[in-house]
Amino acid sequence: MESQKPAGLLYGTASAPSGAGSLKPANMAVTYCFSRLATALVAVLLLSFGSVAASHVEDQAEQFFRSGHTNNWAVLVCTSRFWFNYRHVANTLSVYRSVKRLGIPDSHIVLMLADDMACNPRNPKPATVFSHKNMELNVYGDDVEVDYRSYEVTVENFLRVLTGRIPPSTPRSKRLLSDDRSNILIYMTGHGGNGFLKFQDSEEITNIELADAFEQMWQKRRYNELLFIIDTCQGASMYERFYSPNIMALASSQVGEDSLSHQPDPAIGVHLMDRYTFYVLEFLEEINPASQTNMNDLFQVCPKSLCVSTPGHRTDLFQRDPKNVLITDFFGSVRKVEITTETINLQQGSEIMESSYKEDQMDEEAMEPLKYAEQLPVAQIIHQKPKLKDWHPPGGFILGLWALIIMVFFKTYGIKHMKFIF
Amino acid sequence: MAAAMPLALLVLLLLGPRGWCLAEPPRDSLREELVVTPLPSGDVAATFQFRTRWDSELQRKGVSHYRLFPKALGQLISKYSLRELHLSFTQGFWRTRYWGPPFLQAPSGAELWVWFQDTVTDVDKSWKELSNVLSGIFCASLNFIDSTNTVTPTASFKPLGLANDTDHYFLRYAVLPREVVCTENLTPWKKLLPCSSKAGLSVLLKADRLFHTSYHSQAVHIRPVCRNARCTSISWELRQTLSVVFDAFITGQGKKDWSLFRMFSRTLTEPCPLASESRVYVDITSYNQDNETLEVNPPPTTTYQDIILGTRKTYAIYDLLDTAMINNSRNLNIQLKWKRPPENGYIHYQPAQDRLQPHLLEMLIQLPANSVTKVSIQFERALLKWTEYTPDPNHGFYVSPSVLSALVPSVVAAKPVDWEESPLFNSLFPVSDGSNYFVRLYTEPLLVNLPTPDFSMPYNVICLTCTVVAVCYGSFYNLLTRTFHIEEPRTGGLAKRLANLIRRARGVPPL
């Protein structure tokens, strides 16, 4: 960029005298023109070099900031309760596993599981959730952090997480702290219908609410790009109403179709995964943080022959071309890192710590010994007085009731009784 | 060039006010221990305790250097002015009758009780915020703790640490019985440990074995303790405990041989380098008694004897910091074997198959003297097919009596007699050994009242259905298929009537 300006100036200064040179006598103008032409030629050469250099730097910069995002978040929601919905928990955990494997840390994942399958009393192998039959792959793993579990997975909590309107005492791990340079992956699975998704068998979220939540996120600039994947029956109905920019959506089935489950395991006794997520998991197992696979490949996952339902997708709100969008833009957390080989020596500075330790030692001798409390002091307990309850003035109802009684009494029996009462 | 800037910043931070603390004396220490207790019922209980003691006053502002004591909990103590914190997650119930008294029992679900310092002005607000923060740290739904499930005990739950006065206003207690404990609670609990499931006793903490148990309880206890014998200043003690009971039938297939590998599918490879003490204690109280012989392998070098919970117990000690016990080439896998075959040696059970075979249960029991043994079986009553009922179903169904075949020790030894010589009443059962005699006893049969259906219902249904069909369908049929025409009244005598009768029989229209 810097080399471009002087070349431009050169070019600018070269052009003016050549115009002025045409007014002078011809021979002087010719020599003048030649010198000017030489400088112009040099200027052009320099300009071309400069532009090559500049375009190289620009290329590098463009490569560096190709996708426009600087951090990745994932919100993974399983909305079904009860043991026979084991497959929905397995779906969510398999996406969680892939996303963690490709680099998104637990602090950037909000995992919501509506029921506990791993330590369910009906699970023949506790602390495991399998995705393939014959117990090949344990997607629960040993290092899982569930942020919202059991009764906390409600429509209200989900919308609060998305829009950021959370009560102030919510811990960090339960918040979606995304900014305008975050790419967010939202995966939802459960039982759904035409235009709604069922939460825990007791409430629903509609596609209009979801679209409005995404619009709130856009207005508050809480995302750069958003990928929404849903694996339910009639899943395509959930993304029909989106109207905010930069959203790409995938669903496992069209309106009027059911998403089917993949395979049961005879030892566990339930279906382990849904078909669409099973094939997505197989697809993601081949992705590593450096792979260049793009979204068009994800759209081809699970054709109708394998999935029985027709997976759908929606990219009209998305600004980039899906073939330029890498899978790791959403599923992974690929950071641009420059490695340096310089070494720096660190020195020890321990004087301050020692002085504070000495202060503690001096304080010690001045105080008297402390003691432990008695665990069951019977005598003290028997003789302790119960706390007096705070006196509250009588409320409006009591006052009104007494006023009514007194009024009725005096109306009936006459005011002459007053002096005997008061 | 661009990367050197953040590196420079990092250097500045490190050379900042606190400095690099390699040379200062250690102010926090870690002790870890595992107690393996074979239980009277054949199961095995394992109790882990990881105790980090930090000699520091956390109320002082500006504490920012944490070494062994986890920063997440240290910041909690200073921010919410805690004096004590006790949090436990439990699945299952400790069966004191079969397993003996526990070291530390916790209620099923999640339990949190906290003593605040007396400088706290709004205890309820701090309590609510604290439970929210803990729910984020331990991935549990502790945010459901509010005034509807919090109490302030007035007499119990006295502080377990140092306390000068105990005004119960600063105590709060809550239990969430519905809380599930699973790997997602174990993971952050393990991350609070200094060696964090990489070395020492915490390598044994694998979720797939720890949750396949009858009882699983993990807890975090923070309290102030005396720093030294003079007890003029306090240290903060963090204890992380985990108790599990492995069921003999689930994990052991009924055998009573236990080893660390069988329980945890891991063995101990190296001690935690940050620990000042790392030991495994095995309860060998029944080692020296004559009846039971418990063999512990490898044999212990030292033992520890003390009165624990009222009874004298002996423990074998395995010190992981002792290089003779465990080093790079040797793993430590402690094995327990019971020499004597178990008492209740034989059980045979054949479940029933509907309409094919009945239940059969046979048990060999050794009855202790002067005792009462009760054997009970639960059963459910099912509905039979209506043809399988007897004509008098309200009488009930009989269950055959149980049989008790016993060898009863004789007071006086009997001599084997010749069957032809002795009277007939003495030769019913063959006597092999004179010290006991054989007897076969029977219990009463059981009369079970099965739910009987109303047998008049098929008749009622047939009647009703036929009536309805006859009335409704019959009426419609008649209306649809019959034609109606007017008939003249008859004006004839008997002869005409007779003639009409004959004509009708012939099929000819009447006169």
Side-chain angles (χ1 to χ4, degrees), chain A residues 149-398:
Chain A
R149 62 180 196 165
S150 187
Y151 297 127
E152 292 172 299
V153 178
T154 56
V155 174
E156 182 186 342
N157 280 348
F158 175 61
L159 291 177
R160 281 186 188 278
V161 162
L162 285 185
T163 54
R165 293 154 75 171
I166 295 190
S169 52
T170 317
R172 257 186 99 94
S173 57
K174 288 186 172 173
R175 292 181 190 237
L176 179 65
L177 299 165
S178 55
D179 52 30
D180 64 323
R181 289 270 138 244
S182 307
N183 273 13
I184 307 183
L185 164 72
I186 298 184
Y187 176 84
M188 301 184 76
T189 182
H191 288 288
N194 189 357
F196 67 92
L197 171 62
K198 193 168 71 155
F199 266 69
Q200 291 210 43
D201 220 16
S202 69
E203 48 182 6
E204 304 90 29
I205 184 172
T206 55
N207 48 6
I208 301 172
E209 281 175 358
L210 196 57
D212 287 341
F214 286 162
E215 177 63 15
Q216 277 194 51
M217 287 173 81
W218 174 250
Q219 303 233 348
K220 289 162 114 174
R221 295 293 180 263
R222 279 170 69 79
Y223 70 90
N224 174 39
E225 283 167 349
L226 202 126
L227 176 63
F228 176 76
I229 305 184
I230 184 159
D231 188 348
T232 62
C233 303
Q234 307 194 52
S237 63
M238 288 305 283
Y239 62 62
E240 275 171 1
R241 301 287 195 136
F242 292 165
Y243 55 95
S244 318
N246 288 351
I247 299 183
M248 190 180 335
L250 278 105
S252 60
S253 56
Q254 302 292 331
V255 175
E257 287 180 347
D258 286 338
S259 286
L260 301 176
S261 55
H262 189 235
Q263 54 186 339
D265 181 296
I268 300 179
V270 285
H271 284 262
L272 295 182
M273 282 273 267
D274 278 334
R275 282 175 189 251
Y276 182 70
T277 312
F278 182 80
Y279 290 107
V280 167
L281 172 67
E282 280 197 354
F283 172 78
L284 288 173
E285 286 286 300
E286 279 151 37
I287 309 276
N288 56 58
S291 58
Q292 300 290 311
T293 333
N294 56 36
M295 278 295 164
N296 277 340
D297 302 324
L298 187 58
F299 295 156
Q300 307 306 322
V301 162
C302 207
K304 196 173 162 97
S305 55
L306 287 173
C307 252
V308 185
S309 58
T310 320
H313 54 92
R314 179 179 177 179
T315 52
D316 57 317
L317 294 165
F318 205 74
Q319 281 173 5
R320 293 194 284 154
D321 192 350
K323 74 169 190 296
N324 291 335
V325 180
L326 297 178
I327 299 283
T328 50
D329 279 351
F330 288 102
F331 284 89
S333 180
V334 181
R335 309 294 179 107
K336 305 288 182 203
V337 173
E338 222 185 272
I339 301 179
T340 172
T341 50
E342 294 176 23
T343 55
I344 295 171
N345 285 323
L346 303 170
Q347 282 177 355
Q348 304 175 8
S350 55
E351 308 85 17
I352 296 151
M353 285 307 271
E354 279 178 15
S355 62
S356 58
Y357 187 56
K358 286 200 189 72
E359 272 171 28
D360 288 341
Q361 276 186 326
M362 287 190 314
D363 286 337
E364 246 183 57
E365 285 133 22
M367 316 228 302
E368 46 190 61
L370 308 156
K371 53 183 174 24
Y372 290 101
E374 213 184 298
Q375 286 302 299
L376 208 59
V378 177
Q380 188 190 340
I381 291 172
I382 292 175
H383 291 116
Q384 76 184 7
K385 294 193 188 348
K387 265 181 50 139
L388 292 165
K389 284 179 79 81
D390 297 330
W391 182 80
H392 298 283
F397 177 74
I398 303 287

Side-chain angles (χ1 to χ4, degrees), chain B residues 299-321:
Chain B
T301 45
T302 43
T303 57
Y304 170 71
Q305 255 205 2
D306 206 352
I307 313 260
I308 309 285
L309 294 168
T311 50
R312 177 165 288 278
K313 297 237 174 99
T314 316
Y315 291 90
I317 305 179
Y318 295 90
D319 195 345
L320 292 184
L321 295 173

